[in-house]
Amino acid sequence: MYTASGTLDKNQLVTQYVPLVKRIAYHLMAKLPASVQVEDIIQNGMLGLLDAIGRYEEGLGAQFETYAVQRIRGAMLDGLRENDWLPRSLRREMRRIEGAIHQLEQRHGRQPTEKELAETLGMTLADYQKMLQEARGYQLVYFEDFSDEEEEDFLERHVAGNEADPLDMLEDKKMRESLIKAIDDLPEREKMVMGLYYEEDLNLREIGEVLGVSESRVCQLHSQAIARLRSRISGQVRSHAASARGRRASI
């Protein structure tokens, strides 16, 4: 990794870590709509790799690969944020799905099936699954997505002040517990997809081979799992916001 003079060999590092850039890019593609080109993601990732090589110092206390992964993924996400890669119409449709999930879950006390969701949304099962397939980009979740358009975003509402609010800390703990419970409540197949993807670091094709289904079907299951989790967390965020407004009103 180092030259005879003791400096980082940049050319060797680039060659060595190109496969890492590609792996991160293809893993990220599972969360993006089909309109996004993997070559663009890889190009942004290469910029992140070069940045990591230029900035890396042994004194940072991290192995180079660990540091490079952070810079590569960050560069890819920065590139995506610069482009409007998910249509507003699709965001609206996915919020309709989240609303239907919440409605049916409250009514039946369990997670709704795909057929029930399609019927509630007034569409065929095939059209519903097609929407899930097209919603790959919706899986990049930012907390500010949970705010109403008229309100300040989540990060502004929760930016840390000079002193920690014990009630806020308690509510944040409840939110984490709510997310853990929501994951545990996922239908078994969707829970398995999430585990294989996020814990075992498998891509969609590999998960499909494990489950014996197509890659597109894995994508649908993943999108639906994300919608279920967003629905649960959205409710938690709204409750958090309502509590905060109540505290402010009582002051």
Side-chain angles (χ1 to χ4, degrees):
M1 186 180 295
Y2 293 89
T3 64
S5 61
T7 59
L8 285 173
D9 188 334
K10 295 184 178 181
N11 291 332
Q12 180 182 344
L13 283 171
V14 169
T15 301
Q16 180 178 346
Y17 287 102
V18 164
L20 175 64
V21 173
K22 291 183 176 179
R23 178 166 183 80
I24 295 173
Y26 280 103
H27 196 260
L28 185 59
M29 280 298 294
K31 305 177 182 178
L32 300 173
S35 59
V36 177
Q37 300 297 314
V38 69
E39 291 80 10
D40 295 335
I41 305 297
I42 291 173
Q43 183 177 8
N44 288 329
M46 291 301 299
L47 294 175
L49 175 60
L50 292 172
D51 183 51
I53 292 172
R55 291 173 177 265
Y56 180 75
E57 298 177 3
E58 189 173 0
L60 288 175
Q63 294 296 323
F64 176 75
E65 182 170 334
T66 301
Y67 178 69
V69 166
Q70 296 172 350
R71 305 299 302 187
I72 291 166
R73 185 177 289 114
M76 291 175 178
L77 293 175
D78 286 344
L80 287 168
R81 293 186 185 111
E82 292 174 359
N83 299 285
D84 186 13
W85 45 269
L86 190 66
R88 287 184 176 272
S89 59
L90 185 53
R91 289 185 186 275
R92 285 194 298 269
E93 290 302 308
M94 289 305 297
R95 288 187 178 183
R96 284 184 62 213
I97 291 178
E98 291 172 20
I101 290 172
H102 180 73
Q103 174 187 339
L104 292 173
E105 188 175 2
Q106 293 297 309
R107 182 185 302 168
H108 300 300
R110 58 170 173 78
Q111 289 284 357
T113 65
E114 285 180 288
K115 184 177 180 181
E116 289 171 336
L117 286 167
E119 290 175 351
T120 299
L121 293 167
M123 60 179 65
T124 66
L125 180 58
D127 286 341
Y128 172 72
Q129 292 177 339
K130 180 181 179 182
M131 185 186 300
L132 291 175
Q133 178 74 18
E134 294 173 347
R136 290 166 60 173
Y138 203 65
Q139 298 162 23
L140 282 180
V141 180
Y142 304 102
F143 273 122
E144 55 265 37
D145 289 342
F146 294 120
S147 68
D148 296 329
E149 293 182 1
E150 300 82 6
E151 297 181 356
E152 57 188 346
D153 66 34
F154 183 93
L155 295 180
E156 289 175 346
R157 292 198 305 272
H158 293 76
V159 63
N162 293 330
E163 297 182 2
D165 184 335
L167 183 56
D168 284 342
M169 294 174 64
L170 177 61
E171 289 176 337
D172 286 342
K173 179 182 179 182
K174 289 180 179 179
M175 185 177 295
R176 289 193 297 271
E177 291 172 349
S178 177
L179 178 58
I180 293 171
K181 179 66 165 57
I183 293 172
D184 191 55
D185 288 344
L186 287 174
E188 196 59 37
R189 231 177 187 194
E190 292 175 29
K191 190 191 304 184
M192 186 177 297
V193 167
M194 299 293 279
L196 292 172
Y197 186 80
Y198 291 101
E199 294 181 19
E200 302 299 328
D201 203 29
L202 301 186
N203 60 39
L204 299 188
R205 178 185 57 78
E206 293 168 335
I207 295 173
E209 292 175 356
V210 172
L211 298 181
V213 298
S214 67
E215 182 175 340
S216 62
R217 179 56 181 156
V218 175
C219 180
Q220 292 169 4
L221 292 171
H222 189 251
S223 293
Q224 186 161 261
I226 293 295
R228 294 187 199 275
L229 297 180
R230 285 181 61 103
S231 175
R232 185 73 65 88
I233 297 305
S234 291
Q236 188 74 16
V237 170
R238 285 192 293 269
S239 176
H240 184 108
S243 297
R245 286 194 294 268
R247 294 200 308 272
R248 288 196 296 267
S250 64
I251 294 176

